[in-house]
Amino acid sequence: MRGYLVLESGEIYTGEWQGGTDRAGEVVFNTSHSGYEEIATDPSYFSQIVVLTAPMQGNYGVEDDVWESRQLWIDGFICLEIQDSERDQAWKRRLTDNGIPLLTEIDTRALALRLRQGGTPWGALVQAQDQAAAIAKAQALIAQKKTLDKDWVYIASRKEPEVRRGDNMVGPRVAVLDFGSKENILRELQHRCSEIKIFNSRTSVQDILAYNPDGIMLTNGPGDPADVKVAIGTVRELLGVKPIFGICMGHQILGLALGAKTYKLKFGHRGSNHPIRDTVLNQIYVTSQNHGYAVEESTLPSDVKVTHVNLNDGTVAGFYSEKRKCLGIQYHPESCPGPHEASGLFSYFVERMI
């Protein structure tokens, strides 16, 4: 069955429709060679149609233990080829059984180049009899999707507090402000802490401090940080009161709370092969990344020092302030998928900041 990817900017890509239901979302690409399950279950991909640049997907099946949340968050999965033998259709079935549209046999190289050169537009994956019908369906889906509440962080965040015991009984207690957290961020904290308590993104300062945490983690999450409600003001009040560690969206919210500005990257950083210069751990390593926004360096306060730089484009990848007890990292030190060299930043937070 033929299927179509229709971009809001007018381009149409035709491929093989493998199942799922028609959906719209922001079209982005990821350069990871593995980790399709972790990508699809990462809440940061909420409302996004993901194009995988590695040609073969689904070739090592599925394993629920590597899921980064309890559900699939993507609104579409595009690849050149999907494992579709009679013996192993596990990933294909997992996507289509959950209604995620799956499109294959399109020129993903050309599509990735279009996204790099022209930015990441809205688009829709649809089944249709012809291109005219596909355009009409896509336009309606995109228009409907744009009515969604822009605070995607709140949509992805837990609505009720959750307490988890840690592995280190003499370790600190950490309050986690959930912006759409990956499970591995929580696992890394649990390995080092006596207890963590996970709060909704709109939790008040009073409720967080009532837990009496030793430090605060701001997690990853989807969308534009400038559209996040409540959390920026909450973090601003907590600065200097408790040590704060922000990852990805948490890094951006921390930047806004410090008075800095954020801006949208042309096509974002998504993949597990992004090089970083880290002056905190004094290393250069490759990282896993997934974000579409960055903090503008010139707007950071003078006491906040840029400590991490993306060596692909020179964007701010991390900052630290000893005075305000805060560390922000614009990538995934918890990896999954990706390399693990940056995981030492969790120990830095626990051992030195708390």
Side-chain angles (χ1 to χ4, degrees):
M1 184 181 297
R2 307 305 288 170
Y4 299 90
L5 168 67
V6 182
L7 302 184
E8 186 179 35
S9 48
E11 300 95 322
I12 301 177
Y13 297 83
T14 305
E16 293 292 330
W17 186 269
Q18 301 288 346
T21 58
D22 298 348
R23 291 198 190 186
E26 182 186 11
V27 184
V28 303
F29 67 91
N30 186 296
T31 56
S32 298
H33 283 263
S34 62
Y36 46 82
E37 286 189 280
E38 294 96 320
I39 291 166
T41 57
D42 178 352
S44 294
Y45 281 102
F46 173 73
S47 275
Q48 293 183 331
I49 295 170
V50 182
V51 182
L52 277 298
T53 59
M56 167 63 80
Q57 299 297 322
N59 52 345
Y60 53 85
V62 297
E63 176 54 67
D64 290 350
D65 288 346
V66 305
W67 279 37
E68 288 297 326
S69 68
R70 300 181 180 91
Q71 69 180 76
L72 298 169
W73 290 90
I74 59 173
D75 272 320
F77 192 88
I78 298 174
C79 59
L80 177 63
E81 188 176 355
I82 192 78
Q83 180 69 23
D84 197 22
S85 67
E86 191 170 317
R87 179 185 62 84
D88 188 5
Q89 297 179 332
W91 181 237
K92 175 182 175 180
R93 287 198 303 269
R94 190 62 61 92
L95 288 169
T96 57
D97 287 352
N98 283 275
I100 307 299
L102 169 58
L103 192 67
T104 64
E105 303 301 327
I106 75 169
D107 188 345
T108 51
R109 292 175 300 180
L111 178 53
L113 286 170
R114 155 62 185 85
L115 299 176
R116 277 184 61 89
Q117 294 165 0
T120 54
W122 286 92
L125 286 173
V126 298
Q127 305 171 78
Q129 294 297 320
D130 52 41
Q131 290 192 357
I135 291 171
K137 290 180 74 174
Q139 288 176 338
L141 285 168
I142 293 169
Q144 182 181 23
K145 192 71 175 214
K146 286 184 174 181
T147 65
L148 190 68
D149 185 344
K150 291 183 178 181
D151 186 358
W152 293 0
V153 155
Y154 182 68
I155 296 172
S157 177
R158 287 167 175 77
K159 300 303 180 286
E160 298 296 331
E162 178 183 341
V163 176
R164 296 190 185 184
R165 285 288 183 89
D167 300 331
N168 181 4
M169 297 311 295
V170 296
R173 288 154 50 100
V174 171
V176 179
L177 205 52
D178 178 18
F179 298 148
S181 180
K182 292 173 64 180
E183 276 297 312
N184 214 44
I185 289 178
L186 306 178
R187 294 186 196 109
E188 292 284 356
L189 286 175
Q190 286 176 264
H191 289 330
R192 296 166 172 85
C193 297
S194 60
E195 184 178 277
I196 66 172
K197 186 171 183 179
I198 310 164
F199 293 90
N200 179 267
S201 69
R202 295 183 182 177
T203 303
S204 69
V205 173
Q206 292 74 23
D207 286 345
I208 293 171
L209 292 179
Y211 176 59
N212 193 27
D214 296 300
I216 297 165
M217 167 64 72
L218 312 176
T219 78
N220 65 295
D224 185 341
D227 290 329
V228 177
K229 298 175 182 176
V230 180
I232 298 168
T234 299
V235 174
R236 185 178 296 120
E237 288 189 52
L238 291 168
L239 280 166
V241 178
K242 298 286 183 178
I244 300 175
F245 184 12
I247 294 175
C248 289
M249 174 59 75
H251 161 91
Q252 296 161 11
I253 295 294
L254 182 55
L256 291 171
L258 287 164
K261 296 180 180 179
T262 56
Y263 64 96
K264 187 171 184 178
L265 296 164
K266 185 175 182 180
F267 50 83
H269 300 152
R270 298 176 181 89
S272 53
N273 51 2
H274 292 257
I276 292 295
R277 183 175 67 245
D278 175 347
T279 59
V280 169
L281 300 181
N282 196 27
Q283 296 177 23
I284 291 176
Y285 46 71
V286 174
T287 66
S288 177
Q289 302 203 10
N290 169 27
H291 56 270
Y293 293 81
V295 173
E296 189 175 324
E297 180 175 1
S298 63
T299 64
L300 285 166
S302 58
D303 63 289
V304 178
K305 305 303 180 185
V306 173
T307 52
H308 301 72
V309 176
N310 186 309
L311 296 179
N312 281 336
D313 60 10
T315 52
V316 174
F319 54 72
Y320 173 66
S321 173
E322 183 176 1
K323 174 184 175 182
R324 307 187 198 217
K325 303 179 182 179
C326 65
L327 172 68
I329 303 297
Q330 184 63 90
Y331 53 90
H332 287 279
E334 81 288 351
S335 64
C336 293
H340 298 264
E341 287 90 338
S343 62
L345 290 168
F346 285 97
S347 296
Y348 182 90
F349 171 59
V350 170
E351 296 168 5
R352 301 193 183 191
M353 297 188 68
I354 294 179

